[in-house]
Structure formats: structure tokens, C-alpha cells
């Protein structure tokens, strides 16, 4: 997977992404992260890339020329026209499902705007996907691009080690992940749940699945509408719903097998 980030702040994305697991994947050559400085495509002697908005109003707008030229130059070098994801609060909200779809691409271009945004003509000429990371406004598209690149990269084969690439994590089957524990066995008087010490893998799997359901009901009940549950798990969920979510948490596990 190769990412091309069109930005006015290349150092911000490169520094942010060249650490930890993503940095290791870059070192291994499993992913490539390339920043393109839109300012390099300014034809202005002061390297200016923005101007006042037609019609008036606050702020500056990024001009279409440098953005389109940066993308066209990239396409010429690559010999193809990759998808262009524009980071904007006006886009579709990014999700694990979108990440899974994007992880199948060979190349992705992330277009990061600043100031009051980018001239609409540049967007209509280049952008294939409008994506947001949530209903709040940031100062630029760099952080959203970094968030998406981190999330997509975890799904690219070879980025996570076998140990890291747990298949069961939050949003698997539209459920949140079960709670995790490590040593010590007792901390501040709080014990690790007995079943996890039992070595009985079937019971552990069952407990984890129940905790996922319980936690999803408690924290993200909206996800349950599309959760993938067996008949017994459905029944378990119905039992949890009958008692209040708070009490469901404190309650001992309901045995479903
Ligand atoms: N640019 C500014 N705010 C944003 C957001 N919430 N998501 C994506 N891009 C943005």
C-alpha cells in the first residue's frame, strides 16, 4: 500500500506516521508514506497557495492550480490515477468498514486542506471520496489523514505481527472488545475474573463473548442493531436488557450453555 499525502505541512504527517507500528511497517517496506508539498506547485514568486474568497467572508481559500497540478504530476509519475480522499467535516464519517474497503487499494491519495478549505473546482476535478473523522471541525486535514492511515494500515497484510493481529477486536461482528487483564492477579484488591485463570478455553471464549455483548449494550447500544449474534447470544442480550445496563454489569455471568 502506498499513501500519497497532498499537504502544506509534509513534516507534520511524516513525523507523526514514522513511529511505532506504522513506522516499522514503512521500514519493512510493507507500506510507503509519501508527502507531496502543495506549495511546491505554486506559480507565485512568494510561493503563495491561497487567496481571498470570491463573494467575501472570513479566511483564505486554497487556490485550485497548485492542488490540481500536484495531483496531476503525481499521476504522471505513477502512470495511474489513484483514488483521492479529501479530508473534510462535510464527508462521510470514517469507520472500520470504510477502512476495510480502502485497505484493498494499492495506492491512496489523501488531500489535506487548510484555512477555509480548497477551491471547489479543484475538488470536483480530483476528489473521489469525501471523508470526515467525526462531527467536529479541525484546523486542517492532516490529523484526519493520519488517523485514517493508521487505521487502514493495521489491515494491510504484514503490518501487524501475528501476535498483534488479533482477529477479535472492537467492531468485530459490530461488538466492542471484551475486557483484558494481565499480571498481577490481584491489584488494589481487584481480582482477575476467575474464568481467565481456569485454562478452560471454551469457557473463556464464552465469557469473552458475553462480556463483549454486555459492554456493547452498556457503552454503544447503537451498534447492537447490526451485531452478528447466535440465537443463544440473542437470548443472553435480551436477558441483559431486562435488567438495567448498570445492573447487568455488576451481575454474575449468565450461563448460556
Ligand atoms: N478537516 C477539518 N475537520 C475535519 C474532520 N472532522 N474530518 C476530516 N477532515 C477535517
Amino acid at each position: 500500500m502506498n499513501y500519497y499525502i497532498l499537504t502544506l505541512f509534509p513534516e507534520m504527517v511524516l513525523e507523526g506516521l514514522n513511529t511505532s507500528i506504522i513506522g516499522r511497517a514503512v521500514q519493512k517496506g510493507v507500506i510507503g508514506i509519501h508527502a507531496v508539498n502543495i506549495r511546491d506547485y505554486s506559480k507565485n514568486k512568494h510561493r503563495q497557495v491561497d487567496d481571498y474568497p470570491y463573494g467575501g467572508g472570513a479566511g483564505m481559500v486554497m487556490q485550485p492550480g497548485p492542488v490540481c497540478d500536484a495531483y496531476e504530476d503525481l499521476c504522471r509519475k505513477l502512470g495511474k490515477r489513484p483514488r483521492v480522499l479529501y479530508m473534510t467535516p462535510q464527508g462521510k464519517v470514517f469507520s472500520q468498514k470504510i477502512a476495510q474497503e480502502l485497505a484493498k487499494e494499492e495506492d491512496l491519495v489523501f488531500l489535506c486542506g487548510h484555512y477555509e478549505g480548497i477551491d471547489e473546482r479543484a475538488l470536483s476535478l480530483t476528489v473521489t471520496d469525501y471523508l470526515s473523522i467525526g462531527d467536529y471541525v479541525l484546523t486542517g486535514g492532516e490529523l484526519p489523514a493520519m488517523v485514517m492511515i493508521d487505521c487502514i494500515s493495521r489491515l494491510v497484510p504484514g503490518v501487524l505481527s501475528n501476535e498483534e493481529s488479533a482477529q477479535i477486536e472492537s467492531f468485530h461482528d459490530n461488538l466492542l472488545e471484551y475486557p483484558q487483564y494481565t499480571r498481577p492477579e490481584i491489584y488494589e484488591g481487584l481480582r482477575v475474573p476467575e474464568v481467565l485463570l481456569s485454562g478452560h478455553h471454551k469457557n473463556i471464549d464464552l465469557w469473552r463473548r458475553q462480556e463483549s455483548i454486555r459492554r456493547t449494550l452498556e457503552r454503544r447500544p447503537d451498534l447492537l442493531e447490526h451485531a452478528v449474534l447466535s440465537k443463544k447470544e440473542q437470548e443472553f442480550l435480551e436477558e441483559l436488557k431486562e435488567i438495567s445496563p448498570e445492573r447487568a454489569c455488576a451481575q454474575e455471568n449468565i450461563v448460556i450453555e
Side-chain angles (χ1 to χ4, degrees), residues 86-89 131-141 144 148:
Y86 179 48
M87 305 294 101
T88 169
L131 289 176
S132 164
I133 58 164
D135 292 342
Y136 41 82
V137 181
L138 302 169
T139 55
M148 292 184 205

Side-chain angles (χ1 to χ4, degrees), residues 220-244:
R220 289 292 308 277
D222 57 301
L223 292 177
L224 287 170
E225 208 180 314
H226 302 289
V228 184
L229 300 179
S230 71
K231 195 153 178 293
K232 286 198 166 160
E233 288 169 345
Q234 294 267 11
E235 286 164 15
F236 175 71
L237 174 60
E238 290 315 312
E239 285 182 60
L240 286 181
K241 279 183 187 169
E242 276 167 26
I243 43 185
S244 71

Side-chain angles (χ1 to χ4, degrees), residues 13-63:
V13 284
L14 291 178
E15 275 174 33
L17 290 168
N18 276 326
T19 49
S20 187
I21 294 173
I22 306 304
R24 189 186 66 195
V26 173
Q27 294 298 314
K28 278 202 288 181
V30 195
I31 59 172
I33 301 178
H34 316 273
V36 176
N37 192 342
I38 295 171
R39 202 176 293 285
D40 290 345
Y41 293 86
S42 166
K43 292 210 166 74
N44 184 290
K45 69 171 183 250
H46 303 294
R47 290 183 28 103
Q48 198 180 334
V49 290
D50 59 339
D51 211 332
Y52 296 100
Y54 276 118
M60 302 289 269
V61 177
M62 286 171 66
Q63 295 172 289

Side-chain angles (χ1 to χ4, degrees), residues 1 3 16 39 73 101 108 110 146 152 166 180 191 211 214 216-217 225 233 257:
M1 167 71 84
Y3 304 107
R39 202 176 293 285
D73 191 33
E101 189 227 317
L108 287 172
F110 287 80
M146 289 159 73
I152 297 164
Q180 298 274 20
R191 275 195 164 277
E211 289 310 303
R214 190 196 307 281
T216 311
L217 176 64
E225 208 180 314
E233 288 169 345
E257 273 203 308

Side-chain angles (χ1 to χ4, degrees), residues 200-207 209-210 230-233 235-236 239 253-257:
H200 191 304
H201 293 292
K202 201 159 169 255
N203 282 352
I204 292 172
D205 288 347
L206 180 66
W207 181 86
R209 203 56 201 176
Q210 290 184 338
S230 71
K231 195 153 178 293
K232 286 198 166 160
E233 288 169 345
E235 286 164 15
F236 175 71
E239 285 182 60
N253 292 320
I254 296 163
V255 178
I256 61 173
E257 273 203 308

